[in-house]
Amino acid sequence: MAEAQTNIVEHRLPAEGADYLLLAGVNDANLQELARISGCRVVLRGDHLVLSGALEDVERAAPVAKRMVDQAKMGSSFGADDIRRAFESAGAGRPEPLPAAGADESRIVLAGLRKIIAPKSQGQQEYLEAIARNDVVVAIGPAGTGKTYLAVATAVDALRKNRVKRIILARPAVEAGENLGFLPGDLQEKVDPYLRPLYDALEDMMPADWVRRSIESRSIEIAPLAYMRGRTLGDAYVILDEAQNATTLQMKMFLTRLGLNSRVVITGDKTQIDLPRREDSGLLEIERILKGIEGIGFIYLDGRDVVRHRLVMEIIRAYAQANGTGEVADDDAGGRVQ
């Protein structure tokens, strides 16, 4: 028994200046989650966060606990899922995904909603950094990795800061394995169901009346990809969502719309191509032919970046294993950013 006791160590992290409610979580949920996944005892004692347990367990938990304290000092909230992702990432030898203190360039402040959007994984942070560095960014990854959400957030931020005059959100109007048949209503009412995810993202970033007024004044436009033909998109932040369902001709048409002082973000998931022939996907083509062009960045997200319910990540992994693709675990390019 005495020998077992010698293996118990205690590590004290200064937590002075941290928001203790954010750090501990409601009913100490954050501390309990870190204790559960690490095997340590985790308590707030005075102005210190104290980890105690086996040396190996404490060493694995300490970097995540340090990030928790740093984020609580910044006043940014986080939850049990964020802690779990941070612990898994640290255990795999990758940088912890909780945003570092002072990383203002990776945080988007939406003043109208008093909301701060910060990356929840290392891949998401690299995604935001790629958007800041490049005029055209192509984000490829599975569902739930925040591709569209973060792109819309950066677009709203650019519009509010007058860096662009308008936001244009586009999607191919392709049915996901279903034949919807005749839809009633005018043309806008027919295409709205395809564009609803973009409306949802916008409404999470801006008050509803701002969204309505912006659409009426055309400072925000949401349209099917086919509507882009013949236009020059200057002074605009343009997002093409679900790009895996754009044909090669549509993708070329879209990319050649780029005007002066414009930014383009293209998002897609290569595992969810709904075109009759997979090889017709414009996303696959630009991945092959546009790499290496200065000003065009490719970012690869994977299962580590899934920020929806934890089961989404498990479902994605199960499908990848069943199909033998390995696309979730491997980013098909030997790195996240290219």
Side-chain angles (χ1 to χ4, degrees), residues 203 206-218 220:
E203 289 168 0
M206 304 168 64
D209 59 326
W210 288 11
V211 175
R212 177 180 51 78
R213 289 198 303 267
S214 297
I215 291 175
E216 289 173 354
S217 66
R218 302 190 70 78
I220 295 179

Side-chain angles (χ1 to χ4, degrees), residues 1 5 56 59 73 83 85 111 131 140 161 168 181 217 220 247 259 284 322-323:
M1 189 61 142
Q5 287 295 330
E56 182 181 351
E59 287 181 340
K73 287 180 179 179
I83 295 167
R85 281 191 295 271
I131 289 175
I140 298 173
K161 293 177 178 176
I168 299 173
S217 66
I220 295 179
T247 66
L284 299 183
N323 295 330

Side-chain angles (χ1 to χ4, degrees), residues 116-138:
I116 296 176
I117 296 176
K120 292 181 176 292
S121 71
Q122 182 67 21
Q124 288 190 353
Q125 184 159 337
E126 292 174 1
Y127 179 26
L128 292 178
E129 291 169 355
I131 289 175
R133 289 195 308 267
N134 298 281
D135 290 333
V136 177
V137 172
V138 182

Side-chain angles (χ1 to χ4, degrees), residues 3 7 18 69 121 217 228 231 248 259 273 278:
E3 183 178 351
N7 293 327
V69 172
S121 71
S217 66
M228 299 296 106
R231 302 178 62 181
T248 56
I273 296 175
R278 177 182 172 85

Side-chain angles (χ1 to χ4, degrees), residues 93-156:
R94 298 185 296 268
E96 303 85 33
L98 290 177
D104 293 333
E105 68 278 4
S106 297
R107 303 168 71 222
I108 301 167
V109 180
L110 301 177
L113 294 180
R114 297 183 180 179
K115 185 173 186 178
I116 296 176
I117 296 176
K120 292 181 176 292
S121 71
Q122 182 67 21
Q124 288 190 353
Q125 184 159 337
E126 292 174 1
Y127 179 26
L128 292 178
E129 291 169 355
I131 289 175
R133 289 195 308 267
N134 298 281
D135 290 333
V136 177
V137 172
V138 182
I140 298 173
T145 51
K147 303 183 301 295
T148 303
Y149 190 83
L150 291 176
V152 172
T154 57
V156 170

Side-chain angles (χ1 to χ4, degrees), residues 6-48:
T6 62
N7 293 327
I8 301 298
V9 299
E10 183 176 280
H11 182 61
R12 299 167 63 87
L13 288 167
E16 186 176 359
D19 184 320
Y20 292 147
L21 180 57
L22 292 178
L23 177 59
V26 178
N27 295 325
D28 291 340
N30 293 340
L31 303 184
Q32 291 174 16
E33 179 66 10
L34 182 59
R36 184 188 68 81
I37 60 179
S38 69
C40 297
R41 183 168 181 262
V42 183
V43 296
L44 264 174
R45 187 178 299 156
D47 56 0
H48 285 78

Side-chain angles (χ1 to χ4, degrees), residues 55-73:
L55 176 61
E56 182 181 351
D57 293 339
V58 171
E59 287 181 340
R60 286 190 302 158
V64 180
K66 176 65 165 59
R67 278 300 166 89
M68 292 168 60
V69 172
D70 289 344
Q71 194 158 331
K73 287 180 179 179

